[in-house]
């Protein structure tokens, strides 16, 4: 079964709504780990809309599982990552006006810049994952630029408006996971996964980790973070019984 990594960005979104100190994503990360999460993910955006520099510095010191820093491939954030040395980084496209990451990276058009960053990260001992749509050409390009992982974008599967569309999107992810694995890439997946959509994705062989944020933080508002994480872990465990 894939491991569960929790993205705690939206704990910070709540904090930033008032500009104070609470709730603290560092505290949240500890609760997630104690509830069984095997990794913590944060996206340090250029506009600092949720996670702040102070958060990533403290998380680097406190996360006991794996810290995955989501980031755009831009000079300022690359320098922070090289200094911070998270366990891995996930490169994502970033637009100022988007509510959340909208689509996968275009690895083909950004090959040169990606190769440069991946080489710097490898020299610093940091693994690189590229967040891509489930597309054979993007997988091939990810391999060629030297990525260790790809994270397959599950957003379109989650947002599908009917079952036929959902099935089609599911099969694209399933095929992409197999192709990436066969080519020697390690495979993660995420975006938009919730308590209804996760089990089917978790049952796909080859996927090592699911990165899940919004659904868990939203559920935590009603049942608490510890239980919200455990319930998501149950969704993953159910995949073993399919
Ligand atoms: N993976 C990537 C690359 C993301 O950008 C995000 C959102 O920050 C996630 C996973 C988690 O998505 P969600 O918050 O919808 O679970």
């Amino acid at each position: 079964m894939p491991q569960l990594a929790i993205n705690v960005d939206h704990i910070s979104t709540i904090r930033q709504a008032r500009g104070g100190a609470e709730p603290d994503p560092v505290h949240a990360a500890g609760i997630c780990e104690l509830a069984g999460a095997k990794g913590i993910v944060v996206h340090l955006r250029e506009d600092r809309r949720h996670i702040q520099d102070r958060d990533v510095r403290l998380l680097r010191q406190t996360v006991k599982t794996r810290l995955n820093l989501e980031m755009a491939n831009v000079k300022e954030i690359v320098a922070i990552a090289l200094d911070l040395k998270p366990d891995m980084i996930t490169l994502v496209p970033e637009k100022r006006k988007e509510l959340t990451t909208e689509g996968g990276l275009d690895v083909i058009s950004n090959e040169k810049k990606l190769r440069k960053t991946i080489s710097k990260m490898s020299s610093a001992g940091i693994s690189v994952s590229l967040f891509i749509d489930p597309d054979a050409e993007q997988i091939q390009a990810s391999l060629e630029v030297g990525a260790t992982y790809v994270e397959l974008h599950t957003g379109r599967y989650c947002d599908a408006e009917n079952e036929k569309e959902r099935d089609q999107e599911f099969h694209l992810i399933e095929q992409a996971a197999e192709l990436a694995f066969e080519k020697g890439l390690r495979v993660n997946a995420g975006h938009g996964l919730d308590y209804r959509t996760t089990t089917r994705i978790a049952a796909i062989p080859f996927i090592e980790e699911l990165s899940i944020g919004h659904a868990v933080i939203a559920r935590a508002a009603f049942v608490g973070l510890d239980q919200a994480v455990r319930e998501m872990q149950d969704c993953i465990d159910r995949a073993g019984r399919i």
Side-chain angles (χ1 to χ4, degrees):
M1 287 305 107
Q3 295 192 328
L4 174 61
I6 300 287
N7 177 319
V8 295
D9 289 352
H10 295 309
I11 294 289
S12 309
T13 303
I14 301 171
R15 177 189 61 191
Q16 297 310 108
R18 286 293 170 94
E22 297 289 339
D24 188 340
V26 179
H27 186 185
I31 293 173
C32 293
E33 289 185 305
L34 289 173
K38 295 293 188 293
I40 298 297
V41 188
V42 285
H43 186 172
L44 184 67
R45 281 183 167 265
E46 284 184 272
D47 63 10
R48 307 298 198 272
R49 69 173 70 160
H50 39 53
I51 292 293
Q52 305 295 306
D53 298 56
R54 163 265 183 211
D55 302 330
V56 289
R57 278 199 306 276
L58 288 176
L59 286 165
R60 174 64 294 187
Q61 292 168 37
T62 56
V63 167
K64 296 282 185 295
T65 52
R66 267 194 313 275
L67 180 63
N68 180 350
L69 181 66
E70 249 184 55
M71 53 180 270
N73 187 18
V74 295
K75 210 169 159 193
E76 183 213 0
I77 312 286
V78 167
I80 292 173
L82 288 169
D83 181 48
L84 191 79
K85 293 194 174 48
D87 298 292
M88 65 185 288
I89 63 162
T90 299
L91 293 172
V92 299
E94 198 175 298
K95 295 190 211 128
R96 285 294 155 91
K97 289 200 175 132
E98 69 191 357
L99 287 177
T100 179
T101 314
E102 281 170 357
L105 270 177
D106 185 350
V107 183
I108 301 162
S109 323
N110 290 289
E111 200 182 318
K112 211 167 144 203
K113 274 181 157 174
L114 287 168
R115 212 185 271 279
K116 209 166 137 195
T117 300
I118 292 171
S119 145
K120 286 184 190 164
M121 294 295 160
S122 310
S123 307
I126 304 166
S127 307
V128 179
S129 178
L130 301 180
F131 180 59
I132 58 168
D133 291 327
D135 173 275
E137 288 182 2
Q138 296 295 344
I139 290 170
Q140 181 58 33
S142 300
L143 185 74
E144 285 167 14
V145 297
T148 304
Y149 293 83
V150 286
E151 178 178 329
L152 298 175
H153 189 348
T154 50
R156 274 202 294 273
Y157 155 77
C158 295
D159 295 341
E161 284 179 1
N162 54 58
E163 282 315 301
K164 188 170 168 228
E165 199 183 298
R166 198 186 297 279
D167 277 353
Q168 283 167 353
E169 295 298 335
F170 175 80
H171 290 303
L172 289 179
I173 296 167
E174 193 176 42
Q175 285 160 10
E178 183 169 358
L179 179 67
F181 179 81
E182 277 174 358
K183 286 184 181 287
L185 287 160
R186 298 177 71 174
V187 187
N188 295 335
H191 209 285
L193 293 170
D194 64 17
Y195 294 88
R196 292 181 190 87
T197 50
T198 294
T199 303
R200 198 170 174 204
I201 295 292
I204 299 176
F206 322 112
I207 297 181
E208 290 187 32
E209 184 175 285
L210 297 179
S211 171
I212 308 182
H214 187 268
V216 172
I217 305 306
R219 178 103 182 113
F222 298 115
V223 302
L225 186 53
D226 178 272
Q227 190 177 325
V229 172
R230 288 176 197 276
E231 287 178 10
M232 188 52 83
Q233 184 62 55
D234 287 345
C235 291
I236 294 178
D237 294 343
R238 270 203 292 282
R241 300 196 285 276
I242 287 181

